[in-house]
Amino acid sequence: MRTTSIDEMTTTDNLASTKEERSPYLGIPKKLQITLLAGVLAVLAAGLTWWFGPWSHKFHIRHMGFLELHWYTESHPKDGYAWRELGLRLARDGDAQLAEPALIQATLLNPNDPEPPTALAEIYIAQKHYKEAFELLKSVTSRFPNYELAHVDLGRIYTHKASYLHAADEYQAAVKLDPKDSVAWRELGICYLQMQQSANAEQAVQRALQLDPKNPDYLALASSVDAAVGKIDQAVAEARQAALLAPRNLPIQSNLVTILLQNPRSPSDIALAARTLDYIRQHAPTAPLLPYQEGLLAEQQGHWQEAVHDFEQAIQLNPSDDAGYYALGQALRHLGRTAEATKELAIYQRHQDLRRRIENIRLELGSNSNNPKLYLQLARLQLQIPDLAGAIESLQNAHELAPNDPTITAHLQQLQQIQNAQVPAGQ
C-alpha cells in the first residue's frame, strides 16, 4: 500500500484551498466576488434611494405624460416645479389659454425662476398685451440681468414701439450674454439701420451671417445695409442669393426688386427686377409696396408720367410712407411740374421732422413709461404723419394709465370709429 508523502499532502491541500477560493464560473476569487457583489448592491441601493427620494423629483416631473402632469398639479397645487413644467409645455405647444394660468402659478410659487414669467410675457406679446409683457420683462431683467431671453423679448417690445435706441440696448445685453445668438444680432442690426447707424448695422448683421450664412432673412437684411453704405455690388449679390434661397418668400423677393431698382447697374438688373415684379404681381396683387415699385420700374424705363401715377397710388394706399412722397417729388420735377414737386418734397421733409420728434418722445417714455401725457403727445404727432394705427395704440397706452381722463377717452373713441369705418365690408 502506497503512503502519501508530506510533500504530496501539502500540494493536495493547496489545490483544495485554491478550488474553494475561486468562482466555478469566472475564476475570480470568492472574496473578490463578494466584494464586487456588495458594490453592485450598494450602487443599486443608492439608485433606488435616489429614484424614490426627493432628489429625483424634477426628473419624475419632466418625464410625466401631459395628463399625468395635469392631474399631479391638481393634487399638488403648491408644487411650483410641476406648474412650471406644465406651463412651459403648453406654451411650446401654442396653447396660450391653458399655459397662462399655469405660468402665473409657477411664477407666484417660485419667484426666483426667470423662465416662467418670460414665457408668460411672450404669450402677452403674441396677444398684443404689450403693457403687461413690458412690466413682466422689466422685472425679470432687473432681478435676473444675466437671463438672455428676457433681454431679447424686451427688445422686441421696444422695437414694436419703434423705440430703437432702447431696443438696441436690450439686444446688446443679449449678445453680450450669448454671442452666438444670431437672432439677437439680426435684431440689433435692424435697430442700428433704423437709427441710421449704418456702420454698426453692418457689423451686427455680419455677425448674424457668420453664425447662419445661409439664412435668407439675414442675407436680405445685409443687402439693405450694404445698399445704405454704398456697397451696391455686394448688396445686389446678397439680395439675389436670399431670393434664390427663398423663392416663395414675397418680402424677400420684394427686397430684391427694391435693391435693383434703387441701384440699377445695368439693363440686366432692370430686367431681373421686372421679372421678379411680375412674380409678385401674380401672387400678391395687393402687396402694399407694389405701386411704389411699379413707379420705380417706370422711372428706369423712362415712363415718367406712368411713374407719377404709380407713386400717387402708393401714397394713397400708404400715406405714412415717406419714400413715396420723395419719389413723387423727383418724378414731378423731372416732368417740369416744379410747384407740385416742391409741395411733395415739403411733405417729405415735414414727415422727417415729425419722426424725429416722435423718436424723442419715445426716448423719454423709456425712462418715464407711466406718463399718460407723453402717450397723448405721441398720438398727436403720429396722426400728422398720418399713422392711425400707431396713434390708437399710443392712446390705448394712455387710457390704461389714466382710464378716467375724459380727453384721452374721447380721442381714443374717435380714432377707433375712424379705423372701423376704414375696414372694408365683410372683414
Side-chain angles (χ1 to χ4, degrees):
M1 180 175 180
R2 182 177 179 273
T3 59
T4 304
S5 66
I6 295 176
D7 291 339
E8 289 177 334
M9 291 178 61
T10 303
T11 302
T12 303
D13 290 343
N14 288 341
L15 288 172
S17 174
T18 302
K19 289 179 181 180
E20 289 177 357
E21 291 177 358
R22 293 195 175 269
S23 165
Y25 304 107
L26 302 176
I28 301 174
K30 286 188 176 181
K31 289 183 179 180
L32 181 57
Q33 181 184 10
I34 293 171
T35 302
L36 291 173
L37 181 60
V40 171
L41 291 174
V43 171
L44 181 60
L48 291 173
T49 301
W50 179 86
W51 179 263
F52 292 105
W55 305 276
S56 67
H57 175 68
K58 292 183 178 181
F59 179 86
H60 281 304
I61 295 296
R62 288 196 299 268
H63 287 79
M64 283 183 180
F66 175 77
L67 290 178
E68 182 185 5
L69 182 58
H70 177 71
W71 293 331
Y72 181 86
T73 54
E74 288 186 344
S75 60
H76 298 79
K78 299 298 183 182
D79 192 328
Y81 191 82
W83 284 109
R84 175 190 193 274
E85 181 67 21
L86 179 62
L88 293 177
R89 282 195 205 178
L90 289 166
R92 285 193 294 267
D93 292 342
D95 196 336
Q97 186 175 359
L98 292 177
E100 182 178 350
L103 291 170
I104 291 174
Q105 190 71 359
T107 301
L108 292 173
L109 291 170
N110 188 5
N112 293 321
D113 184 355
E115 191 168 0
T118 302
L120 182 59
E122 291 182 346
I123 290 175
Y124 290 151
I125 291 173
Q127 296 172 341
K128 298 184 178 180
H129 297 163
Y130 296 109
K131 183 175 182 294
E132 294 87 344
F134 180 81
E135 291 174 352
L136 271 174
L137 291 169
K138 285 292 287 185
S139 175
V140 172
T141 54
S142 175
R143 298 181 61 230
F144 307 97
N146 293 328
Y147 189 59
E148 188 251 357
L149 182 58
H151 288 287
V152 173
D153 288 336
L154 188 54
R156 290 169 58 194
I157 295 179
Y158 280 127
T159 299
H160 169 76
K161 294 179 177 293
S163 184
Y164 298 110
L165 179 61
H166 289 94
D169 289 341
E170 297 303 325
Y171 291 129
Q172 284 172 343
V175 296
K176 185 176 181 180
L177 292 167
D178 183 6
K180 294 184 178 181
D181 188 340
S182 63
V183 173
W185 281 113
R186 172 185 179 270
E187 296 301 322
L188 181 59
I190 291 174
C191 291
Y192 284 137
L193 188 61
Q194 291 291 338
M195 293 188 292
Q196 299 182 353
Q197 297 182 20
S198 301
N200 288 333
E202 187 177 14
Q203 292 177 4
V205 175
Q206 287 304 316
R207 288 296 300 272
L209 274 175
Q210 289 171 5
L211 294 165
D212 192 356
K214 297 297 183 181
N215 189 308
D217 289 321
Y218 298 177
L219 286 163
L221 177 59
S223 69
S224 297
V225 173
D226 285 330
V229 298
K231 297 181 178 179
I232 305 304
D233 289 344
Q234 187 170 338
V236 171
E238 290 162 339
R240 293 189 67 169
Q241 186 180 1
L244 289 172
L245 290 170
R248 296 184 180 181
N249 187 312
L250 293 179
I252 287 178
Q253 300 300 319
S254 180
N255 174 73
L256 174 61
V257 171
T258 301
I259 294 292
L260 289 171
L261 292 178
Q262 288 181 341
N263 310 277
R265 302 166 302 171
S266 65
S268 62
D269 282 350
I270 298 173
L272 175 58
R275 291 196 302 272
T276 309
L277 203 55
D278 285 339
Y279 176 83
I280 296 172
R281 192 185 302 111
Q282 178 183 355
H283 291 85
T286 60
L289 274 181
L290 192 56
Y292 172 72
Q293 293 175 329
E294 296 275 16
L296 292 177
L297 179 60
E299 270 188 342
Q300 297 299 330
Q301 294 172 337
H303 303 154
W304 291 100
Q305 194 63 49
E306 183 181 338
V308 167
H309 172 75
D310 290 331
F311 291 139
E312 287 175 340
Q313 186 180 4
I315 292 171
Q316 184 178 0
L317 290 174
N318 189 4
S320 63
D321 183 10
D322 298 350
Y325 294 100
Y326 183 81
L328 177 58
Q330 296 296 331
L332 289 167
R333 179 175 288 173
H334 189 87
L335 290 173
R337 297 161 61 176
T338 307
E340 294 171 88
T342 301
K343 178 184 175 181
E344 298 301 328
L345 292 172
I347 294 174
Y348 169 77
Q349 292 296 337
R350 185 166 65 87
H351 282 193
Q352 293 295 296
D353 179 63
L354 285 168
R355 293 190 188 282
R356 283 190 288 269
R357 293 165 64 187
I358 286 171
E359 182 61 23
N360 288 335
I361 291 179
R362 284 183 170 135
L363 290 174
E364 191 172 350
L365 280 169
S367 57
N368 191 10
S369 60
N370 293 323
N371 188 337
K373 292 183 179 180
L374 287 175
Y375 284 109
L376 183 58
Q377 293 176 28
L378 181 60
R380 286 170 174 164
L381 290 173
Q382 289 169 319
L383 277 177
Q384 295 180 55
I385 289 181
D387 179 6
L388 179 62
I392 289 175
E393 183 176 334
S394 296
L395 286 174
Q396 287 173 335
N397 289 331
H399 184 66
E400 289 180 357
L401 295 169
N404 299 320
D405 188 311
T407 302
I408 293 174
T409 302
H411 282 318
L412 178 58
Q413 291 175 347
Q414 182 183 11
L415 294 188
Q416 288 174 332
Q417 289 174 358
I418 295 173
Q419 186 182 54
N420 293 335
Q422 292 179 349
V423 176
Q427 290 190 6

